[in-house]
Amino acid sequence: MDGSRIDGVRRVRAAKGNAPSKNCRIGLRALRIGDCSIGKALVFFNPQSAIRNPQSIARALPMKNARYILFWCLVAVVGLFVQFIVTKWATETEKDPDLAETVVFAPVQYPEIAARFTPEGLKAHIDALSAIPSRQTGTPGCDAALEYIRSQFRALGVGEPVVQEFPATVPVHDVAEARTPQGTFTLHPLHPNGVCPAATPKEGIKTRLIYAGSGSLAEVEGKELDGATAVVETGAREQWLYLIDLGARAIIFVERERPPRYIGMTTQTMSHQDVPRFWMTKAEGAPLIALLKSQDLEATLYSDARWERRTGKNIHVDIPGLSAKEHNKDEVVVLSAYYDSSSFVPDLAPGAEQACGIAALLELGKLIAEHRFQKCVRLLAVSGHFQAIEGARRYAWDNVARHTSPMRDVSPQGHAAFFGLDLSSGGPRVGLFYAGNYFSQFENNVKPRVSDLGRRATQYVNEIATALDLSPDELFVDTINPAFGKEWFTYAPTGLALDHEAALIAGVPSLSFVTVNDSRFFAATPNDTEVNAENLARQVRLLACLLPNAFNVEGRYLKRSMQRVACRVTGRVVSFDPKEGYLPNKPVPNAVVTARGMWDQMILTGVMARPVTLADDKGEFEIPCLGYNAEALYQMGWLAFEPYVVEDGHITWAPDFGQMGRESYPTRLLPVQKEMELMCVAFPCKTLDLFNLVDPRNYNLLNSLDVLEAASNSPPAVYGTTLQESAWPSFMAPTASIFTQPGKRLKIT
């Protein structure tokens, strides 16, 4: 066989000198094996010529190459078919034929069951809990609420409640006041700016109190703000930032009217400004404002606000089931609600709206104790809900996620299902939710598996509505199988962090019952003291009729197991000391470590979205039950873990972004497996706070910040920054902080 070079490709000539085929070109590829070279023929087609002369294909192609191409065509077809089947299998709804539902109540019994749940009975629990000034996790008020719940669980007569303890990092204080020649005024520290609590040096802050009205520039015109403390009324909203920019040292907010929840969001930033901010109730602030309207007052502010590691407590009691089947003996169905409270003024958090869920749990527990489920029902009351759902994450991690369960087990560690109660009183309808805003797990991995649970609930709701002479649309919304194309988030006008999300990423079939179309306008405020008990009673009546029928089963709740994507992050906070070694290895004790996501969220209806933990004396810390980045939309991309040491409200150590810090030891982590470790490098620093970072040309927030050494125009060897990036929250403070070594001259662009 001879050949000729045409366009760099050797074309085949027949042995008898025939012209080369235009349909077949052979390229030679050498494959070296030891000292040998083997030539391999590769066939390429010229489609235009093949169309003109289709008979030439058979002559040009050797038989083995035709079989080779046919084989891979068949492989491609089979692959597409398999992909179609897998996609259909993964997205179609599922039903377990062995569900074995047990109907406890007949339709004629629904009116009698519903009548047992009265507004007065629910409000009695809410009044008892909201009478406690604050139920913030780890405080005496939270412990008092725990004892109330313990007594209610004991009254069920099914056994002694079990308490699970866990560490929780929360802002606390013992003293906060303004001392003036005219008297001492009580202050209430606001929630920290990022990690900076509303604290003063031990000797206090010597200042002048000036009245700033609603905080507008016109109301402070002609007043000396440098070093002063501005006393503003709650209508100020974010205007207090302009007063700080003009030199004010601290801010005191005085309640003028019942403050809605969004006021709390505008009284803080997430970029760690050292600006003490305090709250006074209307009664506390009236005498002070009366004095300030006539003259400024010399004063000294004192506050020992700080972060502390306290003990959070979950409590549960098990109501034994009736089933004699072997697999039901070790399985539980968890019915959960949180009992702690939250406010942008931590020590003024009555949390009446926030007590609706636990009130419903206590009343439903009485019914379940009387009419038993087939499976054991665990009534679970969690705290730490408003600290990045810490209590639910700790329960899910300690009881499920940290253990190893068979991959096909639909009830990992004996947890057959988890149902959360996140109820409020702003509306009469309750919805069945499969997702929330905290982890926002991808719906394609959750929705198909739980779709049948939603449809079954809807069927029973139709029966219940008929028996109670109501319309189903007035009672219930199935957000798993949306009607009219409305997804679950369209029924939640405010961001919701749901406790069932923690159990869901641990692999437990989990759903939440949530009050729909309720903005919870006054929740998480110092004046959360009123509820519409009739609206709440209507929701609880539906749940009382629904749960013992629709979710009382002997079989499995799901056919296929859920994704298990829970991750625990452990780490150390260290510093680099060249006198002690070539690597950062010196522990930084008692650092406050925060975790923020790529799409950072600030507050979800009172829930602080960023996990915060306090490192121990060795600089070690852990944050359990975070979601894999591939499954949890909120954490998609990375999580940044940043350590700070805060003393008297000042940041004295900050994360190092320089050469021996983040550049060599990244603090951004992609959670991709069950256990993850990292090292966070910090350095002693001075802080520069920046305000009013707005582009005056288009009024956009500045979302990039470059720090350079003034002499060399290069990044400093040691430095750190924070910048509040534009994201989803409705209010973004135009602020930033820069951390640098003392004495450094910097250029900021």
Side-chain angles (χ1 to χ4, degrees), residues 362-392:
L362 296 176
E363 288 297 293
L364 290 171
K366 298 175 183 178
L367 179 71
I368 296 172
E370 182 179 343
H371 300 276
R372 303 289 179 90
F373 277 34
Q374 293 300 308
K375 298 180 186 291
C376 173
V377 175
R378 174 168 294 174
L379 304 180
L380 172 65
V382 301
S383 64
H385 174 78
F386 298 97
Q387 286 72 46
I389 60 172
E390 179 82 18

PDB file of all heavy atoms in Angstrom, residues 362-392:
ATOM      1  N   LEU A 362     -47.339  21.672  73.278  1.00  0.00           N
ATOM      2  CA  LEU A 362     -47.796  21.212  74.589  1.00  0.00           C
ATOM      3  C   LEU A 362     -49.242  20.740  74.543  1.00  0.00           C
ATOM      4  O   LEU A 362     -49.601  19.736  75.178  1.00  0.00           O
ATOM      5  CB  LEU A 362     -47.630  22.339  75.613  1.00  0.00           C
ATOM      6  CG  LEU A 362     -46.183  22.783  75.889  1.00  0.00           C
ATOM      7  CD1 LEU A 362     -46.158  23.963  76.852  1.00  0.00           C
ATOM      8  CD2 LEU A 362     -45.347  21.636  76.426  1.00  0.00           C
ATOM      9  N   GLU A 363     -50.093  21.432  73.794  1.00  0.00           N
ATOM     10  CA  GLU A 363     -51.493  21.023  73.701  1.00  0.00           C
ATOM     11  C   GLU A 363     -51.653  19.769  72.849  1.00  0.00           C
ATOM     12  O   GLU A 363     -52.433  18.870  73.191  1.00  0.00           O
ATOM     13  CB  GLU A 363     -52.329  22.171  73.131  1.00  0.00           C
ATOM     14  CG  GLU A 363     -52.522  23.329  74.096  1.00  0.00           C
ATOM     15  CD  GLU A 363     -53.287  22.904  75.342  1.00  0.00           C
ATOM     16  OE1 GLU A 363     -54.478  22.564  75.228  1.00  0.00           O
ATOM     17  OE2 GLU A 363     -52.676  22.885  76.431  1.00  0.00           O
ATOM     18  N   LEU A 364     -50.922  19.682  71.747  1.00  0.00           N
ATOM     19  CA  LEU A 364     -51.003  18.483  70.908  1.00  0.00           C
ATOM     20  C   LEU A 364     -50.444  17.267  71.638  1.00  0.00           C
ATOM     21  O   LEU A 364     -50.897  16.139  71.419  1.00  0.00           O
ATOM     22  CB  LEU A 364     -50.245  18.705  69.598  1.00  0.00           C
ATOM     23  CG  LEU A 364     -50.879  19.685  68.606  1.00  0.00           C
ATOM     24  CD1 LEU A 364     -49.920  19.978  67.457  1.00  0.00           C
ATOM     25  CD2 LEU A 364     -52.190  19.133  68.066  1.00  0.00           C
ATOM     26  N   GLY A 365     -49.461  17.489  72.511  1.00  0.00           N
ATOM     27  CA  GLY A 365     -48.910  16.379  73.280  1.00  0.00           C
ATOM     28  C   GLY A 365     -49.954  15.697  74.144  1.00  0.00           C
ATOM     29  O   GLY A 365     -49.932  14.467  74.322  1.00  0.00           O
ATOM     30  N   LYS A 366     -50.875  16.473  74.695  1.00  0.00           N
ATOM     31  CA  LYS A 366     -51.942  15.878  75.508  1.00  0.00           C
ATOM     32  C   LYS A 366     -52.818  14.954  74.662  1.00  0.00           C
ATOM     33  O   LYS A 366     -53.209  13.871  75.107  1.00  0.00           O
ATOM     34  CB  LYS A 366     -52.790  16.987  76.125  1.00  0.00           C
ATOM     35  CG  LYS A 366     -52.031  17.918  77.061  1.00  0.00           C
ATOM     36  CD  LYS A 366     -52.921  19.061  77.535  1.00  0.00           C
ATOM     37  CE  LYS A 366     -52.146  20.042  78.405  1.00  0.00           C
ATOM     38  NZ  LYS A 366     -52.987  21.196  78.838  1.00  0.00           N
ATOM     39  N   LEU A 367     -53.120  15.378  73.433  1.00  0.00           N
ATOM     40  CA  LEU A 367     -53.952  14.556  72.553  1.00  0.00           C
ATOM     41  C   LEU A 367     -53.219  13.279  72.157  1.00  0.00           C
ATOM     42  O   LEU A 367     -53.807  12.185  72.160  1.00  0.00           O
ATOM     43  CB  LEU A 367     -54.327  15.362  71.308  1.00  0.00           C
ATOM     44  CG  LEU A 367     -55.177  14.632  70.267  1.00  0.00           C
ATOM     45  CD1 LEU A 367     -56.591  14.417  70.795  1.00  0.00           C
ATOM     46  CD2 LEU A 367     -55.206  15.408  68.961  1.00  0.00           C
ATOM     47  N   ILE A 368     -51.924  13.395  71.814  1.00  0.00           N
ATOM     48  CA  ILE A 368     -51.168  12.224  71.370  1.00  0.00           C
ATOM     49  C   ILE A 368     -50.972  11.240  72.516  1.00  0.00           C
ATOM     50  O   ILE A 368     -50.975  10.020  72.315  1.00  0.00           O
ATOM     51  CB  ILE A 368     -49.820  12.677  70.775  1.00  0.00           C
ATOM     52  CG1 ILE A 368     -50.065  13.525  69.520  1.00  0.00           C
ATOM     53  CG2 ILE A 368     -48.942  11.484  70.437  1.00  0.00           C
ATOM     54  CD1 ILE A 368     -48.819  14.183  68.973  1.00  0.00           C
ATOM     55  N   ALA A 369     -50.807  11.746  73.738  1.00  0.00           N
ATOM     56  CA  ALA A 369     -50.674  10.844  74.883  1.00  0.00           C
ATOM     57  C   ALA A 369     -51.953  10.052  75.119  1.00  0.00           C
ATOM     58  O   ALA A 369     -51.913   8.919  75.614  1.00  0.00           O
ATOM     59  CB  ALA A 369     -50.310  11.646  76.129  1.00  0.00           C
ATOM     60  N   GLU A 370     -53.083  10.623  74.753  1.00  0.00           N
ATOM     61  CA  GLU A 370     -54.369   9.943  74.925  1.00  0.00           C
ATOM     62  C   GLU A 370     -54.681   9.027  73.752  1.00  0.00           C
ATOM     63  O   GLU A 370     -55.207   7.922  73.935  1.00  0.00           O
ATOM     64  CB  GLU A 370     -55.474  10.989  75.086  1.00  0.00           C
ATOM     65  CG  GLU A 370     -56.851  10.405  75.319  1.00  0.00           C
ATOM     66  CD  GLU A 370     -57.901  11.483  75.489  1.00  0.00           C
ATOM     67  OE1 GLU A 370     -57.521  12.653  75.751  1.00  0.00           O
ATOM     68  OE2 GLU A 370     -59.102  11.173  75.358  1.00  0.00           O
ATOM     69  N   HIS A 371     -54.356   9.473  72.531  1.00  0.00           N
ATOM     70  CA  HIS A 371     -54.600   8.682  71.324  1.00  0.00           C
ATOM     71  C   HIS A 371     -53.232   8.380  70.706  1.00  0.00           C
ATOM     72  O   HIS A 371     -52.718   9.159  69.900  1.00  0.00           O
ATOM     73  CB  HIS A 371     -55.488   9.448  70.341  1.00  0.00           C
ATOM     74  CG  HIS A 371     -56.832   9.815  70.894  1.00  0.00           C
ATOM     75  ND1 HIS A 371     -57.905   8.954  70.884  1.00  0.00           N
ATOM     76  CD2 HIS A 371     -57.267  10.954  71.498  1.00  0.00           C
ATOM     77  CE1 HIS A 371     -58.953   9.539  71.441  1.00  0.00           C
ATOM     78  NE2 HIS A 371     -58.586  10.755  71.822  1.00  0.00           N
ATOM     79  N   ARG A 372     -52.665   7.255  71.060  1.00  0.00           N
ATOM     80  CA  ARG A 372     -51.285   6.940  70.699  1.00  0.00           C
ATOM     81  C   ARG A 372     -51.122   6.696  69.202  1.00  0.00           C
ATOM     82  O   ARG A 372     -52.014   6.175  68.535  1.00  0.00           O
ATOM     83  CB  ARG A 372     -50.805   5.698  71.465  1.00  0.00           C
ATOM     84  CG  ARG A 372     -50.902   5.805  72.982  1.00  0.00           C
ATOM     85  CD  ARG A 372     -49.877   6.771  73.541  1.00  0.00           C
ATOM     86  NE  ARG A 372     -49.980   6.891  74.984  1.00  0.00           N
ATOM     87  CZ  ARG A 372     -49.314   6.123  75.854  1.00  0.00           C
ATOM     88  NH1 ARG A 372     -48.514   5.164  75.417  1.00  0.00           N
ATOM     89  NH2 ARG A 372     -49.457   6.311  77.155  1.00  0.00           N
ATOM     90  N   PHE A 373     -49.940   7.057  68.703  1.00  0.00           N
ATOM     91  CA  PHE A 373     -49.547   6.719  67.339  1.00  0.00           C
ATOM     92  C   PHE A 373     -49.067   5.268  67.302  1.00  0.00           C
ATOM     93  O   PHE A 373     -48.811   4.647  68.332  1.00  0.00           O
ATOM     94  CB  PHE A 373     -48.407   7.627  66.874  1.00  0.00           C
ATOM     95  CG  PHE A 373     -48.853   8.972  66.360  1.00  0.00           C
ATOM     96  CD1 PHE A 373     -49.944   9.631  66.900  1.00  0.00           C
ATOM     97  CD2 PHE A 373     -48.168   9.589  65.332  1.00  0.00           C
ATOM     98  CE1 PHE A 373     -50.347  10.865  66.435  1.00  0.00           C
ATOM     99  CE2 PHE A 373     -48.550  10.824  64.852  1.00  0.00           C
ATOM    100  CZ  PHE A 373     -49.647  11.466  65.402  1.00  0.00           C
ATOM    101  N   GLN A 374     -48.925   4.730  66.092  1.00  0.00           N
ATOM    102  CA  GLN A 374     -48.338   3.402  65.945  1.00  0.00           C
ATOM    103  C   GLN A 374     -46.856   3.427  66.318  1.00  0.00           C
ATOM    104  O   GLN A 374     -46.351   2.506  66.949  1.00  0.00           O
ATOM    105  CB  GLN A 374     -48.507   2.908  64.500  1.00  0.00           C
ATOM    106  CG  GLN A 374     -49.952   2.641  64.111  1.00  0.00           C
ATOM    107  CD  GLN A 374     -50.597   1.582  64.982  1.00  0.00           C
ATOM    108  OE1 GLN A 374     -50.053   0.492  65.149  1.00  0.00           O
ATOM    109  NE2 GLN A 374     -51.751   1.900  65.553  1.00  0.00           N
ATOM    110  N   LYS A 375     -46.164   4.482  65.933  1.00  0.00           N
ATOM    111  CA  LYS A 375     -44.765   4.642  66.298  1.00  0.00           C
ATOM    112  C   LYS A 375     -44.662   5.508  67.550  1.00  0.00           C
ATOM    113  O   LYS A 375     -45.586   6.251  67.890  1.00  0.00           O
ATOM    114  CB  LYS A 375     -43.975   5.298  65.156  1.00  0.00           C
ATOM    115  CG  LYS A 375     -43.928   4.508  63.858  1.00  0.00           C
ATOM    116  CD  LYS A 375     -43.121   5.257  62.807  1.00  0.00           C
ATOM    117  CE  LYS A 375     -43.180   4.568  61.455  1.00  0.00           C
ATOM    118  NZ  LYS A 375     -42.459   3.287  61.448  1.00  0.00           N
ATOM    119  N   CYS A 376     -43.519   5.434  68.204  1.00  0.00           N
ATOM    120  CA  CYS A 376     -43.245   6.304  69.348  1.00  0.00           C
ATOM    121  C   CYS A 376     -43.149   7.753  68.865  1.00  0.00           C
ATOM    122  O   CYS A 376     -42.500   8.044  67.856  1.00  0.00           O
ATOM    123  CB  CYS A 376     -41.941   5.876  70.016  1.00  0.00           C
ATOM    124  SG  CYS A 376     -41.381   6.975  71.332  1.00  0.00           S
ATOM    125  N   VAL A 377     -43.800   8.661  69.569  1.00  0.00           N
ATOM    126  CA  VAL A 377     -43.759  10.087  69.237  1.00  0.00           C
ATOM    127  C   VAL A 377     -42.886  10.801  70.267  1.00  0.00           C
ATOM    128  O   VAL A 377     -43.116  10.680  71.475  1.00  0.00           O
ATOM    129  CB  VAL A 377     -45.167  10.704  69.210  1.00  0.00           C
ATOM    130  CG1 VAL A 377     -45.081  12.213  68.979  1.00  0.00           C
ATOM    131  CG2 VAL A 377     -46.009  10.054  68.124  1.00  0.00           C
ATOM    132  N   ARG A 378     -41.895  11.512  69.789  1.00  0.00           N
ATOM    133  CA  ARG A 378     -40.996  12.277  70.666  1.00  0.00           C
ATOM    134  C   ARG A 378     -41.374  13.752  70.594  1.00  0.00           C
ATOM    135  O   ARG A 378     -41.254  14.386  69.539  1.00  0.00           O
ATOM    136  CB  ARG A 378     -39.544  12.079  70.253  1.00  0.00           C
ATOM    137  CG  ARG A 378     -38.540  12.944  71.017  1.00  0.00           C
ATOM    138  CD  ARG A 378     -37.114  12.493  70.761  1.00  0.00           C
ATOM    139  NE  ARG A 378     -36.891  11.163  71.310  1.00  0.00           N
ATOM    140  CZ  ARG A 378     -35.769  10.465  71.128  1.00  0.00           C
ATOM    141  NH1 ARG A 378     -34.782  10.966  70.390  1.00  0.00           N
ATOM    142  NH2 ARG A 378     -35.646   9.261  71.667  1.00  0.00           N
ATOM    143  N   LEU A 379     -41.843  14.293  71.711  1.00  0.00           N
ATOM    144  CA  LEU A 379     -42.114  15.725  71.800  1.00  0.00           C
ATOM    145  C   LEU A 379     -40.803  16.419  72.154  1.00  0.00           C
ATOM    146  O   LEU A 379     -40.241  16.198  73.230  1.00  0.00           O
ATOM    147  CB  LEU A 379     -43.175  16.006  72.863  1.00  0.00           C
ATOM    148  CG  LEU A 379     -44.522  15.284  72.704  1.00  0.00           C
ATOM    149  CD1 LEU A 379     -45.460  15.680  73.836  1.00  0.00           C
ATOM    150  CD2 LEU A 379     -45.156  15.584  71.356  1.00  0.00           C
ATOM    151  N   LEU A 380     -40.316  17.250  71.252  1.00  0.00           N
ATOM    152  CA  LEU A 380     -39.000  17.869  71.397  1.00  0.00           C
ATOM    153  C   LEU A 380     -39.139  19.384  71.452  1.00  0.00           C
ATOM    154  O   LEU A 380     -39.707  19.994  70.541  1.00  0.00           O
ATOM    155  CB  LEU A 380     -38.104  17.468  70.220  1.00  0.00           C
ATOM    156  CG  LEU A 380     -36.754  18.180  70.098  1.00  0.00           C
ATOM    157  CD1 LEU A 380     -35.843  17.831  71.273  1.00  0.00           C
ATOM    158  CD2 LEU A 380     -36.079  17.824  68.773  1.00  0.00           C
ATOM    159  N   ALA A 381     -38.628  19.986  72.518  1.00  0.00           N
ATOM    160  CA  ALA A 381     -38.576  21.446  72.648  1.00  0.00           C
ATOM    161  C   ALA A 381     -37.107  21.861  72.618  1.00  0.00           C
ATOM    162  O   ALA A 381     -36.314  21.407  73.449  1.00  0.00           O
ATOM    163  CB  ALA A 381     -39.235  21.895  73.947  1.00  0.00           C
ATOM    164  N   VAL A 382     -36.744  22.695  71.654  1.00  0.00           N
ATOM    165  CA  VAL A 382     -35.340  23.066  71.469  1.00  0.00           C
ATOM    166  C   VAL A 382     -35.137  24.531  71.823  1.00  0.00           C
ATOM    167  O   VAL A 382     -36.031  25.367  71.677  1.00  0.00           O
ATOM    168  CB  VAL A 382     -34.869  22.807  70.018  1.00  0.00           C
ATOM    169  CG1 VAL A 382     -35.028  21.348  69.651  1.00  0.00           C
ATOM    170  CG2 VAL A 382     -35.603  23.695  69.029  1.00  0.00           C
ATOM    171  N   SER A 383     -33.939  24.837  72.288  1.00  0.00           N
ATOM    172  CA  SER A 383     -33.506  26.223  72.451  1.00  0.00           C
ATOM    173  C   SER A 383     -32.422  26.494  71.411  1.00  0.00           C
ATOM    174  O   SER A 383     -32.118  25.640  70.577  1.00  0.00           O
ATOM    175  CB  SER A 383     -32.988  26.462  73.869  1.00  0.00           C
ATOM    176  OG  SER A 383     -31.833  25.682  74.119  1.00  0.00           O
ATOM    177  N   GLY A 384     -31.834  27.677  71.456  1.00  0.00           N
ATOM    178  CA  GLY A 384     -30.808  28.013  70.474  1.00  0.00           C
ATOM    179  C   GLY A 384     -31.342  28.217  69.072  1.00  0.00           C
ATOM    180  O   GLY A 384     -30.561  28.292  68.125  1.00  0.00           O
ATOM    181  N   HIS A 385     -32.660  28.320  68.931  1.00  0.00           N
ATOM    182  CA  HIS A 385     -33.224  28.499  67.586  1.00  0.00           C
ATOM    183  C   HIS A 385     -32.732  29.790  66.955  1.00  0.00           C
ATOM    184  O   HIS A 385     -32.424  29.821  65.756  1.00  0.00           O
ATOM    185  CB  HIS A 385     -34.750  28.506  67.668  1.00  0.00           C
ATOM    186  CG  HIS A 385     -35.427  28.815  66.365  1.00  0.00           C
ATOM    187  ND1 HIS A 385     -35.560  27.895  65.355  1.00  0.00           N
ATOM    188  CD2 HIS A 385     -35.998  29.966  65.897  1.00  0.00           C
ATOM    189  CE1 HIS A 385     -36.184  28.444  64.326  1.00  0.00           C
ATOM    190  NE2 HIS A 385     -36.459  29.701  64.625  1.00  0.00           N
ATOM    191  N   PHE A 386     -32.628  30.841  67.743  1.00  0.00           N
ATOM    192  CA  PHE A 386     -32.284  32.148  67.190  1.00  0.00           C
ATOM    193  C   PHE A 386     -30.778  32.368  67.106  1.00  0.00           C
ATOM    194  O   PHE A 386     -30.329  33.418  66.678  1.00  0.00           O
ATOM    195  CB  PHE A 386     -32.960  33.246  68.013  1.00  0.00           C
ATOM    196  CG  PHE A 386     -34.456  33.151  67.965  1.00  0.00           C
ATOM    197  CD1 PHE A 386     -35.163  32.525  68.977  1.00  0.00           C
ATOM    198  CD2 PHE A 386     -35.157  33.637  66.882  1.00  0.00           C
ATOM    199  CE1 PHE A 386     -36.536  32.410  68.923  1.00  0.00           C
ATOM    200  CE2 PHE A 386     -36.536  33.521  66.808  1.00  0.00           C
ATOM    201  CZ  PHE A 386     -37.230  32.904  67.831  1.00  0.00           C
ATOM    202  N   GLN A 387     -30.007  31.380  67.504  1.00  0.00           N
ATOM    203  CA  GLN A 387     -28.560  31.388  67.294  1.00  0.00           C
ATOM    204  C   GLN A 387     -28.241  30.423  66.154  1.00  0.00           C
ATOM    205  O   GLN A 387     -27.631  29.377  66.337  1.00  0.00           O
ATOM    206  CB  GLN A 387     -27.812  30.983  68.572  1.00  0.00           C
ATOM    207  CG  GLN A 387     -27.796  32.039  69.657  1.00  0.00           C
ATOM    208  CD  GLN A 387     -29.148  32.219  70.322  1.00  0.00           C
ATOM    209  OE1 GLN A 387     -29.815  31.247  70.680  1.00  0.00           O
ATOM    210  NE2 GLN A 387     -29.566  33.464  70.507  1.00  0.00           N
ATOM    211  N   ALA A 388     -28.713  30.761  64.952  1.00  0.00           N
ATOM    212  CA  ALA A 388     -28.448  29.952  63.754  1.00  0.00           C
ATOM    213  C   ALA A 388     -28.959  28.531  63.938  1.00  0.00           C
ATOM    214  O   ALA A 388     -28.263  27.565  63.634  1.00  0.00           O
ATOM    215  CB  ALA A 388     -26.961  29.963  63.410  1.00  0.00           C
ATOM    216  N   ILE A 389     -30.181  28.388  64.429  1.00  0.00           N
ATOM    217  CA  ILE A 389     -30.853  27.116  64.734  1.00  0.00           C
ATOM    218  C   ILE A 389     -29.889  26.130  65.403  1.00  0.00           C
ATOM    219  O   ILE A 389     -29.836  24.945  65.071  1.00  0.00           O
ATOM    220  CB  ILE A 389     -31.551  26.503  63.500  1.00  0.00           C
ATOM    221  CG1 ILE A 389     -30.593  26.198  62.358  1.00  0.00           C
ATOM    222  CG2 ILE A 389     -32.648  27.417  63.000  1.00  0.00           C
ATOM    223  CD1 ILE A 389     -31.266  25.411  61.213  1.00  0.00           C
ATOM    224  N   GLU A 390     -29.156  26.642  66.391  1.00  0.00           N
ATOM    225  CA  GLU A 390     -28.129  25.843  67.066  1.00  0.00           C
ATOM    226  C   GLU A 390     -28.724  24.618  67.747  1.00  0.00           C
ATOM    227  O   GLU A 390     -28.162  23.520  67.679  1.00  0.00           O
ATOM    228  CB  GLU A 390     -27.394  26.707  68.094  1.00  0.00           C
ATOM    229  CG  GLU A 390     -26.312  25.988  68.870  1.00  0.00           C
ATOM    230  CD  GLU A 390     -25.006  25.888  68.114  1.00  0.00           C
ATOM    231  OE1 GLU A 390     -24.829  26.652  67.150  1.00  0.00           O
ATOM    232  OE2 GLU A 390     -24.160  25.049  68.493  1.00  0.00           O
ATOM    233  N   GLY A 391     -29.862  24.775  68.429  1.00  0.00           N
ATOM    234  CA  GLY A 391     -30.443  23.645  69.144  1.00  0.00           C
ATOM    235  C   GLY A 391     -30.847  22.520  68.210  1.00  0.00           C
ATOM    236  O   GLY A 391     -30.580  21.339  68.479  1.00  0.00           O
ATOM    237  N   ALA A 392     -31.492  22.851  67.099  1.00  0.00           N
ATOM    238  CA  ALA A 392     -31.894  21.827  66.134  1.00  0.00           C
ATOM    239  C   ALA A 392     -30.679  21.192  65.484  1.00  0.00           C
ATOM    240  O   ALA A 392     -30.654  19.975  65.243  1.00  0.00           O
ATOM    241  CB  ALA A 392     -32.810  22.441  65.076  1.00  0.00           C
TER     242      ALA A 392
END
